[in-house]
Amino acid sequence: MKRILITAKNSYIGNAFAIWTTDKFNIDYITCRNDEWKERDFSKYDVILHVAGIAHVSTDPNMESQYYKVNRDLTIELATKSKSEGVKQFIYLSSIIVYGESSSGERIINKNTIPKPSNFYGNSKLQAEEGIKPLESNNFKVVIIRPPMIYGKGSKGNYPKLAKAAQKLPFFPDVDNQRSMLHIDNLCEFIRLMIDNEENGLFFPQNSEYVKTSEMVTTIAEVHGKKVKLTKIFNPVLRAMVSKVGIINKVFGNLVYAKNISEYKQNYRVRDLKDSIMMTEK
């Protein structure tokens, strides 16, 4: 049975993965909040699953150096130590944010799309990727995963805010947008396959369906026995605000992966959108 070391205690993804793979792997944790991890013996592990990092986007310039220290420098240091101590595979959770923000118009990312971060969060993730790629060898496989927005029971970010709105608002804007999303169970199954198949390379997992925000809100409301009426009356104002107001952009902007770059030789999509919302909200 493979031994996996997860680089964060009590992280959302790390804990979900440990539960998802119970009885499949031997899993340990380390905290990276101090330098104690540097004294840890990595040689007994087959895989390092690196999920530690600063996950939220900040516009505070005073935070910039901390983002690079945690998201970039820590990642490179962990990968370097992993390789030197004989770990076979290093899995890094990057983000779709390396491509910049969503937009009011169509935004489809394919394999030829060049990353263009719009903030130091995205840039720190991209520089971490660039720092660990050269470490790859036949004996040290590097997996970089760029997931879109991850959601599920207990998740943070915009999804729980939308879930609350779905239960309280009688009306919601019917904006025709598309976003790639990834349910936590689908992500956990994808990571399991990466480990079982001893993969390396760059991957773009996502749910099989794109998400239209208004349809997701109505589905959440239905799960709670409520009904939200959709209206287009606010659309002209919202379209004008998408490129100017961050939260409006995240909720109603367009940002998707081309579906073909998210296919894998084995099925990792154990939840469809409706099923995943029911699992999250019940």
Coordinates of all heavy atoms in Angstrom, one line a residue, residues 66-101:
Q66 N 4.5 37.5 1.0 CA 4.1 36.3 1.7 C 3.5 35.3 0.7 O 3.7 34.1 0.8 CB 3.0 36.7 2.7 CG 2.6 35.5 3.6 CD 3.7 35.1 4.5 OE1 4.7 35.7 4.7 NE2 3.5 33.9 5.1
Y67 N 2.8 35.8 -0.4 CA 2.3 34.8 -1.4 C 3.4 34.1 -2.1 O 3.4 32.9 -2.3 CB 1.5 35.6 -2.4 CG 0.0 35.8 -2.0 CD1 -0.4 36.7 -1.0 CD2 -1.0 35.0 -2.7 CE1 -1.7 36.8 -0.7 CE2 -2.3 35.1 -2.3 CZ -2.7 36.0 -1.3 OH -4.0 36.1 -1.0
Y68 N 4.5 34.8 -2.4 CA 5.6 34.2 -3.1 C 6.4 33.3 -2.2 O 6.8 32.2 -2.6 CB 6.5 35.2 -3.7 CG 6.0 35.9 -5.0 CD1 5.5 37.2 -4.9 CD2 5.8 35.2 -6.1 CE1 4.9 37.8 -6.0 CE2 5.3 35.8 -7.3 CZ 4.8 37.1 -7.2 OH 4.3 37.7 -8.3
K69 N 6.5 33.6 -0.9 CA 7.2 32.8 0.1 C 6.4 31.5 0.3 O 7.1 30.4 0.3 CB 7.3 33.5 1.4 CG 8.0 32.7 2.5 CD 8.1 33.5 3.8 CE 8.7 32.7 4.9 NZ 8.8 33.5 6.2
V70 N 5.1 31.5 0.4 CA 4.3 30.3 0.7 C 4.0 29.5 -0.6 O 4.2 28.3 -0.7 CB 3.0 30.7 1.4 CG1 2.2 29.5 1.6 CG2 3.4 31.3 2.8
N71 N 3.5 30.2 -1.6 CA 3.0 29.5 -2.8 C 4.1 29.1 -3.7 O 4.0 28.0 -4.4 CB 2.0 30.4 -3.5 CG 0.6 30.5 -2.8 OD1 0.4 29.7 -1.8 ND2 -0.2 31.3 -3.2
R72 N 5.1 29.9 -3.8 CA 6.2 29.5 -4.7 C 7.4 28.9 -4.0 O 7.8 27.7 -4.3 CB 6.7 30.8 -5.5 CG 7.9 30.5 -6.4 CD 8.5 31.8 -6.9 NE 9.1 32.6 -5.7 CZ 9.4 33.9 -5.8 NH1 9.3 34.6 -6.9 NH2 10.0 34.5 -4.7
D73 N 8.0 29.6 -3.1 CA 9.3 29.1 -2.5 C 9.1 27.8 -1.7 O 9.9 26.9 -1.8 CB 9.8 30.2 -1.6 CG 10.2 31.5 -2.3 OD1 10.2 31.5 -3.5 OD2 10.4 32.5 -1.6
L74 N 8.0 27.8 -0.9 CA 7.7 26.5 -0.2 C 7.5 25.4 -1.1 O 8.1 24.3 -0.8 CB 6.5 26.7 0.7 CG 6.0 25.5 1.5 CD1 7.1 25.0 2.5 CD2 4.7 25.8 2.2
T75 N 6.8 25.6 -2.2 CA 6.6 24.5 -3.1 C 7.9 23.9 -3.7 O 8.1 22.7 -3.7 CB 5.7 25.0 -4.3 OG1 4.4 25.4 -3.7 CG2 5.4 23.8 -5.3
I76 N 8.8 24.8 -4.1 CA 10.0 24.4 -4.7 C 10.9 23.7 -3.7 O 11.5 22.7 -3.9 CB 10.8 25.6 -5.3 CG1 9.9 26.2 -6.5 CG2 12.1 25.2 -5.8 CD1 10.4 27.5 -7.0
E77 N 10.9 24.2 -2.4 CA 11.7 23.6 -1.4 C 11.2 22.2 -1.1 O 12.0 21.3 -0.9 CB 11.7 24.5 -0.1 CG 12.4 25.8 -0.2 CD 12.3 26.7 1.0 OE1 11.8 26.1 2.1 OE2 12.5 27.9 0.9
L78 N 9.9 22.0 -1.0 CA 9.3 20.7 -0.7 C 9.6 19.7 -1.8 O 10.0 18.6 -1.6 CB 7.8 20.8 -0.5 CG 7.3 21.4 0.8 CD1 5.9 21.9 0.7 CD2 7.4 20.3 1.9
A79 N 9.5 20.2 -3.1 CA 9.7 19.3 -4.2 C 11.2 18.9 -4.3 O 11.6 17.7 -4.5 CB 9.3 20.0 -5.5
T80 N 12.1 19.8 -4.0 CA 13.5 19.5 -4.0 C 13.9 18.5 -2.9 O 14.6 17.6 -3.2 CB 14.3 20.8 -3.8 OG1 14.0 21.8 -4.8 CG2 15.8 20.6 -3.8
K81 N 13.4 18.7 -1.7 CA 13.6 17.7 -0.6 C 13.0 16.4 -1.0 O 13.6 15.3 -0.7 CB 12.9 18.3 0.7 CG 13.0 17.3 1.9 CD 12.5 18.0 3.1 CE 12.3 17.0 4.3 NZ 13.6 16.5 4.8
S82 N 11.8 16.4 -1.6 CA 11.2 15.1 -2.0 C 12.0 14.3 -2.9 O 12.3 13.1 -2.8 CB 9.8 15.4 -2.6 OG 8.9 16.1 -1.7
K83 N 12.6 15.0 -3.9 CA 13.4 14.3 -4.9 C 14.7 13.8 -4.3 O 15.1 12.7 -4.5 CB 13.7 15.3 -6.1 CG 14.6 14.6 -7.2 CD 14.8 15.5 -8.3 CE 15.7 14.9 -9.4 NZ 15.9 15.7 -10.6
S84 N 15.3 14.6 -3.5 CA 16.6 14.2 -2.9 C 16.5 13.1 -1.9 O 17.4 12.3 -1.7 CB 17.2 15.4 -2.1 OG 16.5 15.8 -1.0
E85 N 15.3 12.9 -1.4 CA 15.1 11.8 -0.4 C 14.4 10.6 -1.0 O 13.9 9.7 -0.3 CB 14.4 12.3 0.8 CG 15.2 13.4 1.6 CD 14.6 13.8 2.9 OE1 13.6 13.2 3.4 OE2 15.1 14.9 3.4
G86 N 14.2 10.6 -2.3 CA 13.8 9.4 -3.0 C 12.3 9.2 -3.2 O 11.8 8.1 -3.5
V87 N 11.5 10.3 -2.9 CA 10.1 10.2 -3.2 C 9.9 10.0 -4.7 O 10.6 10.6 -5.5 CB 9.4 11.5 -2.7 CG1 7.9 11.5 -3.1 CG2 9.5 11.7 -1.2
K88 N 8.9 9.2 -5.1 CA 8.7 8.9 -6.5 C 7.8 9.8 -7.2 O 7.9 10.0 -8.5 CB 8.1 7.4 -6.6 CG 9.0 6.3 -6.0 CD 8.3 5.0 -6.2 CE 9.2 3.9 -5.6 NZ 9.3 3.9 -4.2
Q89 N 6.9 10.5 -6.5 CA 5.9 11.4 -7.2 C 5.5 12.6 -6.3 O 5.3 12.4 -5.1 CB 4.6 10.6 -7.5 CG 3.6 11.3 -8.4 CD 2.3 10.5 -8.6 OE1 1.8 9.9 -7.7 NE2 1.9 10.4 -9.9
F90 N 5.5 13.7 -7.0 CA 5.1 15.0 -6.3 C 3.9 15.6 -7.0 O 4.0 15.9 -8.2 CB 6.3 16.0 -6.3 CG 6.1 17.2 -5.5 CD1 6.4 17.2 -4.2 CD2 5.6 18.4 -6.1 CE1 6.3 18.4 -3.4 CE2 5.4 19.5 -5.4 CZ 5.7 19.5 -4.0
I91 N 2.8 15.7 -6.3 CA 1.6 16.2 -6.9 C 1.3 17.6 -6.3 O 1.2 17.8 -5.1 CB 0.4 15.3 -6.6 CG1 0.6 13.9 -7.1 CG2 -0.9 15.9 -7.2 CD1 -0.4 12.9 -6.8
Y92 N 1.2 18.6 -7.2 CA 1.0 20.0 -6.8 C -0.3 20.5 -7.3 O -0.7 20.4 -8.5 CB 2.2 20.9 -7.5 CG 2.0 22.3 -7.2 CD1 1.8 22.8 -6.0 CD2 2.0 23.2 -8.3 CE1 1.6 24.2 -5.7 CE2 1.9 24.6 -8.1 CZ 1.7 25.1 -6.8 OH 1.5 26.4 -6.6
L93 N -1.1 21.1 -6.4 CA -2.4 21.7 -6.7 C -2.2 23.2 -7.0 O -2.0 24.0 -6.2 CB -3.3 21.6 -5.5 CG -4.3 20.4 -5.5 CD1 -5.3 20.5 -6.6 CD2 -3.5 19.0 -5.6
S94 N -2.2 23.4 -8.3 CA -2.1 24.8 -8.8 C -3.5 25.3 -9.0 O -4.4 25.0 -8.2 CB -1.3 24.9 -10.1 OG -1.1 26.2 -10.5
S95 N -3.8 26.1 -10.0 CA -5.1 26.7 -10.1 C -5.3 27.3 -11.5 O -4.4 27.7 -12.2 CB -5.3 27.8 -9.1 OG -6.5 28.6 -9.3
I96 N -6.6 27.3 -11.9 CA -7.0 27.9 -13.2 C -6.6 29.4 -13.2 O -6.6 30.1 -14.2 CB -8.5 27.8 -13.4 CG1 -8.8 28.1 -14.9 CG2 -9.3 28.6 -12.5 CD1 -10.3 27.7 -15.3
I97 N -6.4 30.0 -12.0 CA -6.1 31.4 -11.8 C -4.8 31.8 -12.5 O -4.6 33.0 -12.8 CB -6.0 31.8 -10.3 CG1 -6.2 33.3 -10.1 CG2 -4.7 31.3 -9.7 CD1 -7.5 33.8 -10.3
V98 N -4.0 30.8 -12.9 CA -2.7 31.2 -13.6 C -3.1 31.8 -15.0 O -2.2 32.4 -15.6 CB -1.8 30.0 -13.8 CG1 -1.4 29.4 -12.5 CG2 -2.4 28.9 -14.7
Y99 N -4.3 31.6 -15.5 CA -4.7 32.2 -16.8 C -5.4 33.6 -16.6 O -5.8 34.1 -17.6 CB -5.7 31.2 -17.5 CG -5.1 29.9 -17.9 CD1 -5.3 28.8 -17.1 CD2 -4.3 29.8 -19.0 CE1 -4.8 27.6 -17.5 CE2 -3.7 28.6 -19.3 CZ -4.0 27.5 -18.6 OH -3.4 26.3 -18.9
G100 N -5.5 34.1 -15.4 CA -6.1 35.4 -15.2 C -7.6 35.2 -14.8 O -8.0 34.1 -14.5
E101 N -8.3 36.3 -14.9 CA -9.6 36.4 -14.4 C -10.6 36.0 -15.5 O -10.3 35.9 -16.7 CB -10.0 37.8 -13.9 CG -9.1 38.3 -12.8 CD -9.4 37.5 -11.5 OE1 -10.4 36.8 -11.4 OE2 -8.5 37.6 -10.6

